[in-house]
Amino acid sequence: MPEETIKSFNVGYLQVLDDEGHADKDLMPELSPGQIKELYELMVLIRAFDDKAFKLQRQGRLGTYLQVKGQEASEVGAAYALKKGDWIFPSGRDVGVLITRGHPMHMLLQYRGGDERGMKAPEGLDNFPITIPVSTHIPICTGAAWASKMRREDVVHMAFFGDGATSRADFHEGLNFAGIFKVPAVFVCENNGYAISLPRARQTAAETLAQKAFAYGFEGIQVDGNDIFAVYSAASRAVAKARKGDGPTLIECVTYRIEGHSTSDDDSRYRTKQEVEEWRKKDPVDRLEKYMKKNKILTDEYKQSVTQKTRDMVEKAVEDYEKVPPPEAADFFANTYAQPTEQLKEQMKEL
Amino acid sequence: MDLPVDKVESTRASGPAAEGKRTRTYREALREALAQAMERDSRVFVAGQGVDDPGAVFGTTKGLAERFGRQRVFDTPIAENGITGIMIGAALAGMRPVLVHMRMDFLPMSMDQIVNHAAKWRFMFGGRVNVPLTIRCIIGRGWGAAAQHSQSLQALFVHIPGLKVVMPSTPYDAKGLLLASIADENPVIFVEHRWLFDQSGYVPEEEYVIPIGKGVIRRKGRDATVVAISHMAYEACKAAESLEKDGIDIEIIDPRSLSPLDDELIFDSVKKTGRLIIADTGWKNCGVGAEIAARVASDALGYLKAPIRRIATADTPTPCSFELEKEFYPSSEDIIFTVKELLNKSPLSPQPYRR
């Protein structure tokens, strides 16, 4: 009896915008000029925030910060595909996701300034807090999605994580369950090339991270993570599929972290300047700008006004952040349990 | 969820139920609590390895899958940590999951999700969310259970802020504490003892909750206080019967909940008896007994007439051999020996205790 192929998979790759800002008309997602401007403004805002946060850290006005520069298209494009009421589960670098989802910037600074209250999303925003341990929020996202399915709610859940997360058991266990129970979740992997200093090639022998989804029985797709239209297109398809009850999707956004892993990292120890320069040429904000110029959506005047407006917004956020009074000791007693225990009340008195 | 708090408390952990009262076994009490919680509240569901198979976790989930459907009572892929994360996610999304582990030894595999996530999300989210998750797990000996299938790891979890830990010893408490755990807004580690599953006792049909953090006096006495945890409450009751014949009258306190701990109940008892023994199912080193001893030493030292003693397992892995198990696990004999020893001691007596 001859051997035969009983199953084979194709891993798709999606790019809409090339490095020069030409868009493939057939692949272009449905977006009005107003929406494109909105995406652009978000990306510019996030970059301004990111630059400012880095400076604040260097000035001793902020704690350790993880820069998102270079990954704006991945974060904005995916989060923009969600609607109000959907939930996000961000990882440490995902300030771009949180800003897209309306998390107040001064609160993000507050969080990075060492105040948990900064992660308390204002009522009406379904943003889960940043999870610092790698990949551990993936099963949590799956569980929340499964609960939504049980309750027949129209809610999609999106988790964000890096390439390094795909090596962890939580990734496997979370995606495996998501596949079996066909939960309304979208898993967005921001493959930025490095897990701190470990290059992607040493993370897994698999040629793509997207292909891992097929082992769990659902679709995985790789997209150009510096192409806002490709990310948005894949994400909005995945979100629509999840909303329809057709189960989860894994989206691998191939992108690049332009700065070090964090404000404590020296990336020159593990990668060349030349490599970083090559990726600068694929910059997601520049690429969108080129497209908008070509399509007469962006004028110099508009660009200048966006630069000014976003800078002002960031300055205002810094001002608000530095005005926040420090938390009180009672806070850590109050939030340990839903109701403080007698023992905690005693310990509070001892302070 | 508002359930009546039943005032009836059995004064003894073991023995026949009061005449004419409804009796159920510990396993039936657990099953009844699950069924009633699921019946009343569509947010409650039960997941874990074996919950819908014929064994039904020592019978404690028997019939639930048939009654409530496999969407609400279901087996999971073998992924203890991931499943714990999934249950946390469901709890955050408004469900009230009951996750069941046939052995407490499987909790170390899910330590990250329990310690770093379940216990901390409320705190790290500035108090905006709760994690109303109940994790049922089973401890206790049985021939062959050995080092990796019998561990009493309660002290690990008592140590973690944000978690609650309960260890019911009677059918009455099993039902009342399980309903309380499911109703609680915090993650609760619910520790059951295999040797208790066949014990029967008074269990009211209606729903009721035992407040988490409230202990109970199982037997009133004047000569020494024995704080007895889980199965050790039975051993203490056996010891009390024997000691009574020698004219020694011990007071037995079953804390029921280890975190939070009803230390006032223990202080009051020690103030009366002047002697304290803590009998735990777990290891001695940094065990629950150490915490109770420290609190009494701190708040009621002046009342002690003798040193505090801890009865616990030796600080070694559990042996597999049936013969060695008999040696390894403390019993009523150890309690009798220790009580008698303490009655002849002054607080500063240096004589070492054998276990």
Side-chain angles (χ1 to χ4, degrees):
Chain A
M1 212 175 283
E3 273 188 18
E4 55 181 327
T5 303
I6 57 161
K7 192 85 186 162
S8 58
F9 303 100
N10 294 308
V11 183
Y13 177 78
L14 183 65
Q15 187 190 27
V16 180
L17 265 186
D18 66 16
D19 290 358
E20 296 313 311
H22 296 287
D24 184 322
K25 282 202 182 74
D26 297 335
L27 296 176
M28 186 66 192
E30 219 173 286
L31 284 167
S32 68
Q35 285 177 308
I36 293 171
K37 278 183 166 175
E38 200 181 345
L39 290 168
Y40 172 73
E41 287 174 27
L42 278 166
M43 286 166 73
V44 175
L45 176 64
I46 291 159
R47 182 153 298 183
F49 177 87
D50 202 55
D51 285 339
K52 187 71 191 181
F54 179 80
K55 284 180 195 142
L56 291 175
Q57 194 278 337
R58 286 295 185 259
Q59 292 165 357
R61 294 157 73 190
L62 199 68
T64 305
Y65 178 75
L66 278 67
Q67 280 194 271
V68 68
K69 189 184 280 180
Q71 298 178 217
E72 293 90 344
S74 298
E75 300 204 354
V76 174
Y80 194 76
L82 295 170
K83 66 176 192 188
K84 200 172 179 312
D86 292 337
W87 288 20
I88 55 153
F89 296 78
S91 67
R93 199 177 305 287
D94 295 323
V95 289
V97 174
L98 285 159
I99 290 173
T100 305
R101 293 279 296 173
H103 200 96
M105 286 187 294
H106 78 275
M107 291 179 74
L108 293 174
L109 293 171
Q110 196 184 344
Y111 173 70
R112 283 294 177 192
D115 184 346
E116 270 97 5
R117 296 175 301 172
M119 269 301 118
K120 185 178 181 178
E123 287 298 332
L125 280 186
D126 294 305
N127 298 341
F128 271 82
I130 280 176
T131 308
I132 296 296
V134 173
S135 83
T136 53
H137 57 306
I138 298 174
I140 296 179
C141 172
T142 299
W146 176 79
S148 284
K149 183 176 171 172
M150 287 299 95
R151 294 150 73 102
R152 296 191 175 82
E153 293 166 339
D154 177 24
V155 179
V156 174
H157 301 255
M158 192 179 270
F160 293 82
F161 47 89
D163 39 311
T166 62
S167 298
R168 289 207 75 249
D170 294 270
F171 170 84
H172 165 67
E173 295 177 359
L175 267 66
N176 187 45
F177 188 101
I180 297 166
F181 289 83
K182 247 183 163 183
V183 305
V186 180
F187 301 104
V188 181
C189 176
E190 295 173 60
N191 168 9
N192 67 11
Y194 291 89
I196 306 187
S197 58
L198 191 79
R200 157 64 187 84
R202 291 275 301 279
Q203 200 62 247
T204 169
E207 288 159 289
T208 70
L209 300 176
Q211 73 200 55
K212 290 179 179 249
F214 294 103
Y216 305 117
F218 57 88
E219 190 199 355
I221 180 170
Q222 192 184 65
V223 304
D224 180 341
N226 286 13
D227 168 357
I228 183 82
F229 297 143
V231 178
Y232 173 74
S233 173
S236 45
R237 266 190 280 164
V239 168
K241 175 179 133 189
R243 224 181 276 293
K244 243 176 67 193
D246 291 339
T249 308
L250 171 64
I251 302 173
E252 176 190 358
C253 301
V254 181
T255 180
Y256 195 80
R257 155 164 69 71
I258 293 294
E259 304 295 341
H261 164 72
S262 74
T263 43
S264 324
D265 179 38
D266 174 7
D267 62 317
S268 68
R269 289 179 304 175
Y270 55 83
R271 61 185 190 182
T272 62
K273 269 191 182 146
Q274 195 192 348
E275 181 186 300
V276 180
E277 284 316 307
E278 284 305 310
W279 274 95
R280 278 188 197 278
K281 291 177 195 157
K282 300 175 197 283
D283 186 87
V285 183
D286 290 351
R287 216 195 285 191
L288 179 59
E289 242 177 63
K290 285 178 195 162
Y291 168 85
M292 289 169 78
K293 248 185 201 161
K294 276 189 222 300
N295 290 274
K296 310 216 171 356
I297 306 173
L298 179 136
T299 61
D300 287 347
E301 202 181 26
Y302 167 71
K303 184 183 166 176
Q304 217 172 354
S305 77
V306 172
T307 309
Q308 192 55 49
K309 183 169 83 178
T310 53
R311 202 176 290 163
D312 292 348
M313 287 164 79
V314 171
E315 286 307 325
K316 175 77 170 62
V318 175
E319 207 177 293
D320 291 348
Y321 152 59
E322 293 191 322
K323 273 198 299 214
V324 175
E328 287 170 19
D331 292 349
F332 60 81
F333 287 99
N335 292 333
T336 302
Y337 292 96
Q339 300 289 331
T341 61
E342 290 306 313
Q343 197 187 348
L344 283 188
K345 286 183 201 160
E346 285 297 311
Q347 290 180 3
M348 194 159 92
K349 281 187 223 153
E350 286 166 17
L351 276 189
Chain B
M1 183 172 73
D2 290 322
L3 293 179
V5 177
D6 198 308
K7 299 284 182 225
V8 185
E9 282 168 346
S10 47
T11 53
R12 290 195 41 188
S14 59
E19 212 171 306
K21 281 189 170 172
R22 181 179 184 266
T23 63
R24 289 293 180 272
T25 62
Y26 190 94
R27 90 177 72 231
E28 287 166 343
L30 291 170
R31 190 166 66 215
E32 186 166 272
L34 289 175
Q36 288 178 340
M38 292 182 80
E39 187 66 53
R40 180 176 33 77
D41 188 344
S42 63
R43 300 172 301 170
V44 179
F45 68 92
V46 180
Q49 284 157 36
V51 298
D52 60 359
D53 74 10
V57 193
F58 301 100
T60 60
T61 57
K62 209 173 185 64
L64 296 180
E66 291 74 12
R67 183 166 161 198
F68 296 101
R70 282 198 156 72
Q71 281 207 318
R72 289 181 72 193
V73 182
F74 60 93
D75 208 327
T76 63
I78 303 175
E80 289 81 1
N81 196 52
I83 296 302
T84 307
I86 286 156
M87 295 305 138
I88 293 169
L92 291 167
M95 305 292 273
R96 303 194 93 87
V98 180
L99 175 59
V100 187
H101 291 286
M102 274 198 258
R103 304 272 187 256
M104 193 174 199
D105 309 67
F106 304 153
L107 294 193
M109 300 170 193
S110 20
M111 212 59 174
D112 175 59
Q113 287 291 351
I114 296 172
V115 175
N116 286 328
H117 299 275
K120 297 194 172 55
W121 271 55
R122 179 187 156 79
F123 185 88
M124 296 189 68
F125 209 168
R128 211 189 118 176
V129 296
N130 289 319
V131 182
L133 166 66
T134 302
I135 301 180
R136 278 185 54 199
C137 56
I138 297 162
I139 58 167
R141 52 189 136 165
W143 186 83
Q148 296 162 326
H149 276 70
S150 65
Q151 298 170 86
S152 285
L153 301 170
Q154 57 269 22
L156 291 181
F157 300 94
V158 170
H159 189 61
I160 307 298
L163 298 178
K164 292 187 178 180
V165 182
V166 299
M167 291 183 80
S169 65
T170 64
Y172 179 85
D173 286 353
K175 179 173 172 181
L177 277 172
L178 187 50
L179 285 168
S181 301
I182 294 169
D184 203 278
E185 293 299 334
N186 305 284
V188 182
I189 309 291
F190 188 94
V191 189
E192 303 156 20
H193 197 295
R194 274 172 78 177
W195 279 29
L196 300 177
F197 282 141
D198 290 324
Q199 293 285 350
S200 75
Y202 169 53
V203 177
E205 188 169 6
E206 67 275 12
E207 290 180 65
Y208 59 94
V209 293
I210 307 276
I212 296 177
K214 284 275 169 252
V216 63
I217 300 169
R218 294 283 175 214
R219 181 189 195 277
K220 286 198 182 295
R222 57 168 196 274
D223 295 327
T225 299
V226 178
V227 174
I229 294 162
S230 184
H231 181 251
M232 293 311 288
Y234 288 84
E235 296 298 326
C237 289
K238 260 194 266 172
E241 278 173 24
S242 165
L243 287 164
E244 204 176 294
K245 289 177 196 144
D246 295 329
I248 301 168
D249 184 22
I250 60 168
E251 178 144 308
I252 301 170
I253 293 188
D254 179 350
R256 303 193 285 201
S257 157
L258 302 182
S259 180
L261 177 72
D262 191 353
D263 47 15
E264 291 297 330
L265 189 69
I266 298 170
F267 297 156
D268 288 347
S269 178
V270 169
K271 284 174 187 172
K272 187 172 71 178
T273 65
R275 294 180 184 86
L276 174 65
I277 294 162
I278 305 124
D280 187 14
T281 60
W283 289 296
K284 186 181 254 181
N285 189 19
C286 282
V288 174
E291 175 61 27
I292 295 174
R295 291 201 200 179
V296 169
S298 171
D299 288 41
L301 185 67
Y303 295 91
L304 287 173
K305 298 176 201 157
I308 299 171
R309 291 288 190 233
R310 286 177 286 160
I311 294 173
T313 61
D315 293 317
T316 72
T318 315
C320 183
S321 143
F322 187 55
E323 285 307 309
L324 291 184
E325 270 190 341
K326 278 193 271 185
E327 289 295 317
F328 180 76
Y329 286 105
S331 68
S332 57
E333 296 295 313
D334 298 281
I335 298 172
I336 294 165
F337 177 92
T338 313
V339 170
K340 287 183 175 172
E341 181 218 20
L342 282 194
L343 286 170
N344 298 314
K345 283 233 170 341
S346 74
L348 300 173
S349 172
Q351 206 170 314
Y353 171 63
R354 75 179 171 97
R355 196 184 273 281

